[in-house]
Amino acid sequence: MENHNIIVMLSGEGTTLQAILDKCTVAKVVGVLSDHPNVGGITRAQKANVRHIVLFDRRPNETKEAHTERMIRGLDIILQMNDNISYIVLAGFMRILSADFIKHFNDKGVKIINIHPSLLPKYKGLHTHQKALDNEDEEHGMTIHYVNEEMDGGEIIFQKSVYITDADSAKTLEKKVKVLEQEYYPKVIDSLILGAPLPT
Ligand code: GRF
């Protein structure tokens, strides 16, 4: 059977990576890149025997450009060693990727997608759950989108929403949204790779 390999980039706990590892039936995670040492995401990747686990934390005095260049070189090696990597999947990766980074991989036919805990274009950046509460929104949710150089700004692929109730806090909303993220990100990744209809 043809391989459908992906690389996941993360900065933290890695619960989203875990959902991808557990639930994707088509996509196979062959690489995990973290920009932070000692995070749960690395431990999860190790437990799952992911083939390439790479750490690219930003060195003291390293420019953003030099750090990006190092990540590109590292990911290029993973691409060279594995056929059929068509997606780089961001799962809690907390840096904005530069236009150079995005172009480099898009030019090689590798698309980059991200998951964000809000109904974009509402609430880019951090503290999305609190922002939805402060704004007295009736619903909140999550968005899967292509990555461009604008933070949380690329073309939207898929969204799912939840109702906000009077009992909700930022914590309960975060939990509700994570349930959605972990149910749908694996399904959407598989569908994109197969060119199949997105889940409903
Ligand atoms: C997810 O909620 C995702 O929406 C956001 O970062 C969080 C990652 O959490 N981009 P984890 O590290 O996967 O647990």
Side-chain angles (χ1 to χ4, degrees):
M1 200 181 85
E2 202 185 350
N3 291 326
H4 297 286
N5 296 328
I6 62 172
I7 294 171
V8 175
M9 292 174 66
L10 53 77
S11 305
E13 195 42 47
T15 58
T16 317
L17 166 71
Q18 194 67 56
I20 293 168
L21 289 166
D22 293 344
K23 297 183 185 169
C24 277
T25 57
V26 178
K28 176 163 190 253
V29 181
V30 293
V32 167
L33 180 153
S34 172
D35 67 336
H36 276 291
N38 310 318
V39 290
I42 295 181
T43 313
R44 291 172 193 275
Q46 285 166 337
K47 282 207 177 114
N49 290 318
V50 171
R51 198 178 298 155
H52 308 277
I53 302 168
V54 288
L55 170 64
F56 284 97
D57 48 344
R58 191 150 158 202
R59 294 170 179 159
N61 302 322
E62 187 176 37
T63 62
K64 182 172 161 48
E65 290 72 25
H67 180 238
T68 298
E69 186 51 39
R70 255 186 336 115
M71 288 198 293
I72 290 176
R73 283 204 304 271
L75 293 176
D76 268 348
I77 293 171
I78 300 178
L79 286 182
Q80 277 160 23
M81 293 175 75
N82 295 273
D83 287 342
N84 239 338
I85 296 181
S86 47
Y87 282 87
I88 292 174
V89 171
L90 307 188
F93 185 72
M94 301 306 284
R95 285 177 200 276
I96 298 170
L97 294 171
S98 67
D100 284 351
F101 183 102
I102 296 159
K103 185 172 182 323
H104 180 89
F105 291 105
N106 286 174
D107 284 353
K108 289 175 184 252
V110 179
K111 299 188 182 100
I112 307 172
I113 61 172
N114 183 38
I115 190 160
H116 181 73
S118 80
L119 295 170
L120 290 171
K122 276 188 161 182
Y123 316 135
K124 296 176 179 179
L126 299 175
H127 311 301
T128 58
H129 312 299
Q130 192 56 51
K131 286 175 188 167
L133 289 172
D134 292 348
N135 211 27
E136 299 183 358
D137 289 351
E138 287 179 359
E139 14 168 68
H140 185 46
M142 63 92 170
T143 303
I144 296 166
H145 63 94
Y146 289 107
V147 173
N148 65 12
E149 62 278 13
E150 187 199 336
M151 183 183 61
D152 303 322
E155 183 195 336
I156 291 172
I157 300 167
F158 184 85
Q159 293 186 304
K160 271 279 168 194
S161 57
V162 286
Y163 286 110
I164 301 179
T165 69
D166 290 345
D168 273 321
S169 62
K171 267 263 155 291
T172 61
L173 276 185
E174 181 184 350
K175 273 197 194 139
K176 283 185 187 175
V177 170
K178 278 209 163 205
V179 170
L180 286 183
E181 292 183 329
Q182 292 173 17
E183 178 177 355
Y184 286 100
Y185 209 14
K187 289 182 182 167
V188 169
I189 292 166
D190 278 349
S191 300
L192 288 173
I193 286 178
L194 290 176
L198 293 170
T200 47

